[in-house]
Amino acid sequence: MRFLIMSVFAVIILVGCKSETSREVSLVTTPDGHQYYFMPILEKGVTDITITAAWPSGWAYEAGKNQAVPYVAADVLVSGGTAERAPQDVMELMNDRNSYAHFYVTANHAIGEVEFPKEHRDVILPIVREMLIDPQFDPKWIERVKQGWSAKQLQQSGNIDYGLWSTARQLVLGSPYCNLPLGR
Amino acid sequence: MRFTLKSFIFIFLAFALLFAGAVVYWGKGAKNYVSIGSDLFHRVVFVKNTDTETVSLQVVFPYGEAANPFSEGLAHYTEHLAFSSGFGATLEKDTGAFGHSNAYTSRFATGYFINSSRGKWLKDLERLLKVAQPLDLSEDFMLSERDIVMREYDFRLANAKRREAHRALTQYVYDNGALSRTVLGTPETISNFSIDQARQLHGMTHRLEHATLLVSGPITAVALETHLTKIKPPELAPPPNDLELASLVSPVWSDRVSSGHVAASEGSEDLLLFLQLRPIDHCTDVRKCIVLTELLNLVLDSTLEGGIAGPLRYDAFIARYFGLSVSLSPRCCLEIYFEAAPDAGVSLSELEAAFRTSLREALCNGIPEATFDRVKERVRGGLNAVLEKPEYNIQALSQQLSENVPFIGWNEKRKIVENIKFKDFEAFVHGLAQQEKTALRYLQGKG
């Protein structure tokens, strides 16, 4: 898994190094043989670079697995700090550079996204790299995130709209797709 | 070399031309919008946006729920009726893909908009202005619209206990006055809305001579200005003479804290709700106060020295989650709203004590200059990213209209930020620390 993350990141880190026609999407191969999609936006006023990477994973919707795990992990990766930096240091460094990182899961992918002004590339990319390959995973922080998800799930379970949607989903799709996206 | 009168005049004219050019250039750069004169409106504002095919038309009246002298929520009900009477019922089928339209009511304003196109904006602008005409709807329709408002209430304010607790906070700090009223009203007021009162409120508040027209899109200011001179003013009802709109009054300051415990709904977590007002009498330049407030919000919401996030969430495990909003109610006060869930093993009273200590230290002991500099730099960086993007300017102007505060385009904001020095920020924070008025509630969950 760690190798995979490093490989993918090595690919996306090259985004923004190559200039092409504005808004034209091309499939580019790195010297290491990794492919990525590249869309330069060479327009006045466009100052930020966005990098999106998706890892195939159906964990959040798979029967027999604890579905909450990928949600908690995604939150902890972004908010919980790295081996080298405390959570607050990561947050304030990102804020200083008007940069944003998100990590979320869907039915078939775990998706990471980072957005930053191009002049801060050399500061932000190493931090994101640390987040992905060397997260802190402090048990106390994980516990805090778990509590947050439990509270949210509890709140959702009392929501009539949510209950109706879940029931309709179960009736239409059946198992294993009937699993609620917030886990049990 | 000898200067003749002729060469002197030539040099003078050349400098004059350069100066005039600079004035025009910097004048344009200072604002991201153009004001256009109009006999019909209080103000017409145009933002050129060639990044889109949509011509966005928005008319905003500077009266919201806080100006409503009738039952709570009637301003929002009136907006529903004016929308339907004016254009809502006929617009979609006529305008097709560009026909998106909507309306809103805030505490301080009521706005209506149509997203139109190059080919239809002239016609759609005339449609939009019909919201100011006397309500032309059947009584049955107007009564049934109360049910629509009730459904909106159910949808938006589902958590009854939390809503009641929040309402208690605003009622206390704003002395049950105009600012304590909720835009949606309550089930009791909604079911008893009076058609007659809605007509009166509409006549009092939907006056084009008080309204701002905000237009943006791939058209020219000249085209808009030309068209405005040709628009036939809609027929307006005379405003009722014997009624007055509600006015804002400053809060009665009190050291007493309104507090209480509320048993939350099933499935809710423990939550602290906290609302505090602080005086802004010392802050006379509203534009500058708005930016100072934003800077203060960013400082408090950070883990930097002087912020509350460090002591509450990062240096110690006290607040598992918190949300902080510091906002300005012009002509009234600064509002600090804090909502937080405690970490495991932390009580609501411990959370409250930790928050109040952090807030007091920040406001009374001052905020370090290094923190101010760092946050100011963030705002500067954020502005650089949006300066050249018309859609962000339009969003900002729309937001300011809904809050009924003076316009601050991004270029103006950049200048204001540059001119704010640490001593200004220090004086602003010091002034806030002179008085406070607080209400809080413990929402005790049933997990």
Side-chain angles (χ1 to χ4, degrees):
Chain A
M1 182 62 185
R2 173 170 287 208
F3 172 75
L4 177 66
I5 289 173
M6 287 174 75
S7 303
V8 173
F9 195 67
V11 173
I12 61 177
I13 209 167
L14 293 175
V15 173
C17 297
K18 189 170 156 50
S19 68
E20 298 285 347
T21 310
S22 191
R23 293 187 185 264
E24 193 173 282
V25 181
S26 55
L27 188 60
V28 183
T29 305
T30 70
D32 292 340
H34 300 290
Q35 290 189 316
Y36 65 96
Y37 289 99
F38 178 53
M39 185 179 78
I41 304 177
L42 309 170
E43 294 166 16
K44 190 183 171 193
V46 177
T47 53
D48 288 5
I49 293 173
T50 301
I51 297 173
T52 305
W55 291 267
S57 169
W59 190 322
Y61 283 73
E62 283 171 11
K65 284 189 173 173
N66 184 336
Q67 298 158 273
V69 169
Y71 292 97
V72 172
D75 191 325
V76 173
L77 273 176
V78 174
S79 71
T82 69
E84 300 295 320
R85 302 170 207 261
Q88 57 268 48
D89 295 338
V90 172
M91 183 176 76
E92 298 302 350
L93 276 171
M94 298 290 279
N95 287 342
D96 278 343
R97 286 155 183 86
N98 300 99
S99 304
Y100 308 92
H102 314 276
F103 210 103
Y104 58 99
V105 290
T106 66
N108 51 13
H109 281 91
I111 299 170
E113 194 164 286
V114 60
E115 186 183 331
F116 51 89
K118 58 187 174 190
E119 66 269 25
H120 297 315
R121 189 174 66 178
D122 294 342
V123 176
I124 296 302
L125 289 181
I127 296 174
V128 177
R129 182 177 179 278
E130 282 178 34
M131 279 181 183
L132 290 172
I133 68 168
D134 217 358
Q136 197 171 105
F137 282 155
D138 174 4
K140 220 173 166 187
W141 193 275
I142 294 172
E143 196 53 41
R144 172 186 262 179
V145 173
K146 275 172 64 180
Q147 283 170 24
W149 277 100
S150 295
K152 192 172 177 182
Q153 194 183 359
L154 201 63
Q155 206 175 6
Q156 290 274 42
S157 65
N159 181 316
I160 292 171
D161 290 349
Y162 183 72
L164 289 170
W165 178 80
S166 300
T167 306
R169 186 180 173 81
Q170 185 164 357
L171 288 171
V172 173
L173 299 173
S175 180
Y177 303 106
C178 63
N179 291 336
L180 301 181
L182 288 179
R184 290 182 285 260
Chain B
M1 196 169 133
R2 206 171 130 246
F3 280 98
T4 61
L5 180 64
K6 218 182 221 177
S7 58
F8 177 77
I9 290 170
F10 176 77
I11 291 168
F12 176 80
L13 283 174
F15 271 106
L17 269 172
L18 272 175
F19 179 72
V23 166
V24 169
Y25 177 81
W26 290 114
K28 268 178 77 179
K31 288 185 175 178
N32 305 89
Y33 56 87
V34 177
S35 292
I36 293 173
S38 165
D39 295 334
L40 206 52
F41 301 94
H42 168 65
R43 178 172 53 174
V44 177
V45 177
F46 173 68
V47 180
K48 191 172 179 66
N49 185 5
T50 51
D51 295 345
T52 175
E53 287 297 306
T54 302
V55 178
S56 172
L57 310 164
Q58 191 174 153
V59 64
V60 181
F61 302 93
Y63 307 106
E65 178 57 29
N68 167 25
F70 301 113
S71 59
E72 187 171 336
L74 194 84
H76 174 234
Y77 174 59
T78 304
E79 168 240 294
H80 272 233
L81 299 178
F83 179 83
S84 298
S85 173
F87 61 84
T90 60
L91 186 79
E92 299 297 337
K93 63 183 176 194
D94 288 355
T95 51
F98 285 104
H100 180 62
S101 62
N102 215 328
Y104 70 83
T105 306
S106 72
R107 286 198 295 182
F108 304 107
T110 306
Y112 303 83
F113 68 82
I114 298 177
N115 285 339
S116 186
S117 62
R118 286 179 206 253
K120 290 180 176 168
W121 71 271
L122 303 173
K123 191 176 168 192
D124 282 340
L125 180 56
E126 290 183 33
R127 287 170 188 269
L128 182 65
L129 302 190
K130 289 185 179 170
V131 296
Q133 286 183 335
L135 300 176
D136 182 21
L137 297 165
S138 72
E139 194 172 314
D140 281 351
F141 182 94
M142 291 170 90
L143 290 173
S144 67
E145 194 66 17
R146 300 193 301 201
D147 298 333
I148 303 291
V149 175
M150 191 67 92
R151 296 292 77 77
E152 192 174 338
Y153 175 89
D154 289 341
F155 179 73
R156 288 177 190 265
L157 301 174
N159 189 335
K161 296 291 181 186
R162 190 174 169 284
R163 181 180 66 234
E164 284 168 23
H166 192 272
R167 187 173 156 77
L169 302 184
T170 55
Q171 285 182 329
Y172 175 74
V173 297
Y174 289 116
D175 311 302
N176 285 312
L179 287 173
S180 68
R181 301 160 68 97
T182 55
V183 169
L184 281 176
T186 67
E188 294 72 34
T189 61
I190 293 169
S191 56
N192 291 305
F193 281 151
S194 150
I195 293 176
D196 185 47
Q197 288 181 344
R199 286 188 193 282
Q200 290 183 65
L201 186 64
H202 179 262
M204 293 156 76
T205 55
H206 285 55
R207 315 296 306 175
L208 290 180
E209 65 270 26
H210 298 161
T212 297
L213 177 70
L214 175 62
V215 178
S216 63
I219 58 170
T220 64
V222 174
L224 176 61
E225 195 165 10
T226 306
H227 183 61
L228 285 174
T229 59
K230 294 178 188 164
I231 282 187
K232 189 180 160 201
E235 284 177 30
L236 303 182
N241 293 325
D242 53 344
L243 282 168
E244 281 186 12
L245 294 170
S247 56
L248 303 185
V249 289
S250 294
V252 179
W253 296 101
S254 163
D255 291 336
R256 195 175 72 82
V257 175
S258 162
S259 60
H261 295 249
V262 178
S265 312
E266 201 68 41
S268 299
E269 55 182 333
D270 282 355
L271 218 52
L272 168 67
L273 308 184
F274 178 99
L275 181 62
Q276 187 172 74
L277 303 186
R278 298 265 175 177
I280 53 163
D281 307 338
H282 59 297
C283 201
T284 49
D285 179 344
V286 179
R287 284 184 172 84
K288 192 173 168 185
C289 293
I290 289 169
V291 178
L292 283 164
T293 302
E294 184 184 333
L295 290 168
L296 178 62
N297 199 148
L298 290 171
V299 166
L300 291 176
D301 201 10
S302 76
T303 65
L304 306 176
E305 202 182 335
I308 64 164
L312 289 183
R313 194 160 187 269
Y314 289 88
D315 304 341
F317 280 67
I318 295 172
R320 176 174 57 70
Y321 141 87
F322 78 79
L324 176 79
S325 158
V326 183
S327 58
L328 197 71
S329 291
R331 303 180 297 282
C332 172
C333 44
L334 186 101
E335 193 178 295
I336 299 171
Y337 180 67
F338 177 77
E339 185 178 304
D343 269 308
V346 176
S347 69
L348 284 167
S349 57
E350 287 166 334
L351 172 61
E352 183 208 337
F355 168 65
R356 289 173 70 112
T357 302
S358 304
L359 184 64
R360 194 180 312 114
E361 279 178 7
L363 298 182
C364 300
N365 299 349
I367 288 157
E369 188 166 1
T371 298
F372 166 79
D373 288 341
R374 207 163 154 183
V375 166
K376 183 176 165 178
E377 192 53 42
R378 289 176 186 178
V379 173
R380 196 184 277 143
L383 284 170
N384 287 339
V386 297
L387 278 176
E388 302 291 339
K389 296 173 185 166
E391 69 270 24
Y392 286 96
N393 272 297
I394 297 159
Q395 277 174 21
L397 298 179
S398 298
Q399 178 74 22
Q400 288 154 15
L401 276 175
S402 74
E403 293 167 3
N404 198 3
V405 295
F407 273 174
I408 311 176
W410 292 132
N411 274 325
E412 286 170 286
K413 186 171 174 182
R414 185 170 62 169
K415 280 187 177 173
I416 295 169
V417 170
E418 292 304 332
N419 288 331
I420 291 177
K421 307 297 175 203
F422 179 61
K423 62 177 173 48
D424 303 315
F425 184 69
E426 230 179 356
F428 176 67
V429 175
H430 178 73
L432 297 175
Q434 304 311 305
Q435 276 176 314
E436 62 185 62
K437 186 175 188 185
T438 307
L440 61 94
R441 292 291 181 276
Y442 292 169
L443 222 65
Q444 288 169 315
K446 295 177 186 171

